[in-house]
Amino acid sequence: MIKAYSISLGALLLGLVLSLVFGSDLAFQRQWQLIGGVEPEQFIDFAYLYSLLPRMTMALMVGASLGLVGSLMQQLTQNPLLSPLTMGTSSGAWLALVMLNLWVPLDIADLSAAAAMIGAMFAMFLVIAIVGIRNLSGLPVVLAGMAVNIVLGAVATAIILLNEQFASNLFIWGAGDLEQNDWFWPLWLAPRLLPAILIFLLAPRVLSLLKLGQQGAAARGLNVVPMFLLLSVVGVWLVAASITAVGVISFVGLISPNIARRVGARTTSNELWLSCIIGALLLVFTDLLANALSEQIGDVVHSGIAAALVGAPILIVLCQRQLRAQDQLSLSLPQSRLRWRNRYYGLAAFIIALIALLSLLGQHNAGSWSLAIPDAFNWLLRWPRWLTAVSAGAALAVAGCVLQRLIFNPLASPDILGVSAGATMSLVGLTVITGASIFSASPWVAILGSTIVLALLFLFSTYRQFSPAKLVLCGIALAALIEGLVHFALASGQQEIYEILAWLAGSTYRVSPEAALRLAAVSFVVILGLYVLHPWLSLISAGRSFAQARGLAVPKAYVLMLLGVALLCAMVTATMGPVAFVGLLAPHVAVMLGARLAKQQIIVSALVGALLLSFADLISQWIFYPSQVAAGTLVSIIGGIYFIALLVRGQRQARA
């Protein structure tokens, strides 16, 4: 254990020395003079004293606190995949700060930490409420945290888009920034990290007893729930204070405790201390990486983005090593006694036509709504919007249906597995590099991004026999990585920033007639092709060995259908931006309506997806008129709530 401490402290010291060497051109003698109190004279002296040193101090404090809290959470729950990232605390804090910027902008300096604390606590306790305080050791808590992140993030994005002028300063915060101009933030943060002393004093005994199980700990006199809540509140406070000061820094709290255990931390106290040191070490070297990348590309790469670049691959490795048998998903497709009948097709078509009538002919006059034939200008705006919503909903629904059957996973959907995120990153990257409008980008760029992510997922699914649960975690890691890269684009400060953000919300507002027609044509052809291949999908759904025994070339069928999924996701993302949960929700609704056969589920999923997204687009035009909420944001909130309900249902079934 002493060896582990020595190596960690030595590596941390090396990181600090490298930060001083590469961060400043001053000689070491001059650096020590400035640290000793000599008055700065030149600009390089001021930069060293008021930028480099505060930045290093923030890296040490924030990294140590995140590592400590990560170890605390993992030991409290006996879950090696838990961290502030996977508990949804960052999205809760972000939403709270967005609301604070909107409602009381003059009191941000005084209330920001308290607001972030309240938001982070709300998100964490929402996750605990979803899975139950006695069920925090499995994979569902990670999925619940992801769902909470998506839902709260969608709400925050909607608020920003409705009030752009009040939230523009939050983009860099979302990217995680250690840059300092003086000692204000280090001095602000230091006293707010003092509650960490309580963790070192109280946690070792509590965590040691909890290793015996909650019943065993209670039998030895521990008040489990009060101590759990007390330590959780202290941990969330440390996270809230840290991310208030520097923004979202992902993965440090997840990785540090796992490294600490692998290098020999066996007791609870040793793991807490070693995770603290390793957290500081990771963030110092991550900051070095961010500075090196900034010099290479000629633009600022924030530390939070570099942490995502490093952390996502490590999470994928942890998926292989840390997922145990009891972590496998206990979720299944919802059961229903309904039986799908052909006459229901006519009913679905009627509802879609009714929504089309309201979308195309609805008029707002003198505070009331009425139906009227629009003029040429409004007609040119409305029909592409409705056609895009219908086509995108159908395309994502069929993509989700095919994915769920191919990988035997009821949670599979393009957004959860990161397929849509691949298209998102390729398009955002192109916009940042070239400065072109994201709404005019070529669909081939999006297709390339989705195909790369699908290829990676296919590789992960075959390498070492990855289970569906591990595949979902890999998708989460890829999505988190791509989200960090998107934040880099948003934090770059380009003029197209709100255009990118509006596109990220999944908006049909700016879709051109040509793009709408292209999406409709491609979606129809690909959906028709996948429908023709439904016998393959039925065979694969019965089992890969069964399909191969019936003469099906399974790898060829996989590649062909996954390419169809990639094409559908890429076309939707290139046209209107990423849309979450349609690919999860629509296939489930289809099964609940009685469409259990592959060919039925494909058609019914397409109808449900078209209805869902077109209805969301209609409602989004009416709720905040004359302002508008993106249809993708509204669907994300609805789908996220359904996803949470699905997790709650799965937990109840597991306990039954």
Side-chain angles (χ1 to χ4, degrees):
M1 198 59 234
I2 296 177
K3 182 179 179 181
Y5 277 116
S6 301
I7 294 175
S8 300
L9 290 172
L12 179 58
L13 180 61
L14 175 62
L16 295 176
V17 171
L18 292 175
S19 298
L20 293 174
V21 170
F22 293 106
S24 175
D25 294 330
L26 287 173
F28 271 112
Q29 182 179 2
R30 181 58 177 170
Q31 293 182 23
W32 282 111
Q33 290 175 350
L34 291 171
I35 294 175
V38 174
E39 290 294 326
E41 298 175 357
Q42 301 177 355
F43 174 79
I44 193 173
D45 295 340
F46 284 97
Y48 174 81
L49 201 57
Y50 295 104
S51 179
L52 180 60
L53 290 184
R55 181 169 183 148
M56 291 172 55
T57 304
M58 289 297 286
L60 288 171
M61 290 194 297
V62 172
S65 63
L66 292 179
L68 175 64
V69 175
S71 176
L72 175 67
M73 287 185 171
Q74 291 182 16
Q75 292 191 73
L76 277 175
T77 62
Q78 299 299 302
N79 188 344
L81 294 175
L82 209 61
S83 75
L85 168 71
T86 53
M87 287 290 282
T89 53
S90 59
S91 62
W94 185 36
L95 175 59
L97 289 175
V98 168
M99 297 170 69
L100 185 67
N101 272 260
L102 175 62
W103 291 339
V104 282
L106 298 180
D107 296 324
I108 292 176
D110 298 326
L111 301 178
S112 57
M117 170 70 173
I118 294 171
M121 288 292 296
F122 171 77
M124 187 188 76
F125 286 121
L126 181 58
V127 171
I128 294 175
I130 292 169
V131 299
I133 196 169
R134 300 182 184 278
N135 297 284
L136 297 176
S137 60
L139 178 62
V141 68
V142 179
L143 299 174
M146 181 204 69
V148 169
N149 267 325
I150 292 176
V151 173
L152 298 185
V155 174
T157 299
I159 294 175
I160 291 175
L161 290 174
L162 290 172
N163 304 274
E164 296 177 0
Q165 67 275 22
F166 295 103
S168 59
N169 61 326
L170 291 174
F171 295 122
I172 294 178
W173 183 90
D177 184 37
L178 290 175
E179 185 67 39
Q180 303 296 315
N181 296 319
D182 52 34
W183 285 93
F184 172 81
W185 281 109
L187 294 176
W188 179 93
L189 181 60
R192 288 166 175 80
L193 296 183
L194 290 178
I197 297 173
L198 288 175
I199 296 178
F200 289 113
L201 292 177
L202 299 177
R205 177 179 176 274
V206 174
L207 297 176
S208 297
L209 291 176
L210 284 176
K211 287 185 176 180
L212 304 174
Q214 294 187 15
Q215 292 182 347
R220 285 162 177 77
L222 178 67
N223 293 322
V224 176
V225 174
M227 290 305 300
F228 180 92
L229 293 177
L230 174 62
L231 291 175
S232 297
V233 168
V234 174
V236 172
W237 169 258
L238 296 179
V239 173
S242 298
I243 64 179
T244 299
V246 302
V248 179
I249 305 288
S250 302
F251 292 111
V252 172
L254 174 66
I255 297 170
S256 303
N258 283 281
I259 295 177
R261 287 188 290 271
R262 290 192 64 82
V263 298
R266 296 292 179 264
T267 67
T268 56
S269 179
N270 282 338
E271 183 179 327
L272 289 172
W273 281 105
L274 198 55
S275 298
C276 192
I277 296 171
I278 292 174
L281 169 67
L282 286 176
L283 196 51
V284 166
F285 275 95
T286 296
D287 194 42
L288 279 170
L289 175 62
N291 289 329
L293 290 175
S294 299
E295 292 182 3
Q296 288 295 321
I297 68 175
D299 200 353
V300 177
V301 176
H302 300 283
S303 301
I305 298 166
L309 290 172
V310 174
I314 296 179
L315 177 57
I316 293 174
V317 173
L318 291 177
C319 293
Q320 300 181 53
R321 300 178 181 274
Q322 299 290 357
L323 203 62
R324 298 162 295 190
Q326 60 265 37
D327 293 328
Q328 301 304 312
L329 295 172
S330 59
L331 302 175
S332 59
L333 283 171
Q335 301 299 315
S336 173
R337 295 181 180 179
L338 294 177
R339 183 178 179 183
W340 182 261
R341 302 184 184 280
N342 290 334
R343 63 175 179 268
Y344 295 163
Y345 289 119
L347 178 61
F350 172 77
I351 297 174
I352 292 175
L354 180 61
I355 294 174
L357 182 69
L358 296 174
S359 300
L360 298 174
L361 304 184
Q363 300 279 357
H364 186 273
N365 295 309
S368 62
W369 289 90
S370 61
L371 296 179
I373 297 176
D375 55 35
F377 176 75
N378 282 310
W379 174 255
L380 195 61
L381 291 177
R382 292 183 182 185
W383 75 258
R385 182 170 187 167
W386 173 82
L387 183 60
T388 298
V390 170
S391 305
L396 291 174
V398 172
C401 175
V402 172
L403 280 175
Q404 287 175 16
R405 285 182 171 269
L406 282 180
I407 66 174
F408 308 98
N409 189 346
L411 291 179
S413 74
D415 49 292
I416 292 176
L417 297 185
V419 180
S420 296
T424 299
M425 189 57 238
S426 60
L427 289 167
V428 172
L430 178 68
T431 300
V432 171
I433 294 171
T434 65
S437 172
I438 199 165
F439 289 95
S440 62
S442 171
W444 287 107
V445 178
I447 292 171
L448 177 63
S450 288
T451 303
I452 290 174
V453 171
L454 264 177
L456 290 174
L457 289 174
F458 184 73
L459 176 63
F460 297 149
S461 67
T462 55
Y463 179 64
R464 292 188 180 180
Q465 298 297 314
F466 263 28
S467 67
K470 293 180 180 180
L471 192 59
V472 170
L473 280 174
C474 289
I476 293 173
L478 288 172
L481 169 61
I482 295 170
E483 182 182 1
L485 297 176
V486 170
H487 275 297
F488 167 70
L490 294 177
S492 63
Q494 298 193 16
Q495 295 181 353
E496 300 84 4
I497 189 169
Y498 284 108
E499 183 178 282
I500 293 175
L501 193 62
W503 178 85
L504 287 171
S507 175
T508 60
Y509 181 69
R510 297 188 183 182
V511 178
S512 65
E514 296 79 10
L517 290 172
R518 181 175 61 228
L519 173 63
V522 173
S523 298
F524 176 78
V525 171
V526 176
I527 291 173
L528 182 61
L530 291 172
Y531 177 78
V532 171
L533 298 178
H534 72 78
W536 293 5
L537 199 59
S538 298
L539 287 174
I540 292 176
S541 300
R544 296 182 182 91
S545 300
F546 177 82
Q548 197 163 5
R550 294 298 184 277
L552 178 65
V554 175
K556 177 183 175 181
Y558 257 78
V559 170
L560 193 57
M561 286 188 280
L562 287 177
L563 285 176
V565 169
L567 185 57
L568 289 174
C569 297
M571 288 301 300
V572 172
T573 307
T575 305
M576 64 171 291
V579 181
F581 288 121
V582 173
L584 172 76
L585 183 56
H588 287 210
V589 174
V591 172
M592 287 189 285
L593 292 174
R596 296 176 180 85
L597 299 177
K599 64 178 182 179
Q600 282 184 334
Q601 193 184 11
I602 289 175
I603 299 176
V604 178
S605 297
L607 291 172
V608 172
L611 195 155
L612 177 64
L613 196 53
S614 60
F615 181 71
D617 187 55
L618 175 64
I619 295 300
S620 68
Q621 300 176 48
W622 290 3
I623 293 180
F624 297 105
Y625 185 87
S627 298
Q628 298 188 27
V629 177
T633 298
L634 190 59
V635 169
S636 295
I637 296 172
I638 296 172
I641 294 172
Y642 169 78
F643 184 66
I644 290 171
L646 190 67
L647 291 172
V648 173
R649 174 179 168 273
Q651 289 300 300
R652 289 178 178 175
Q653 288 180 343
R655 291 194 294 267

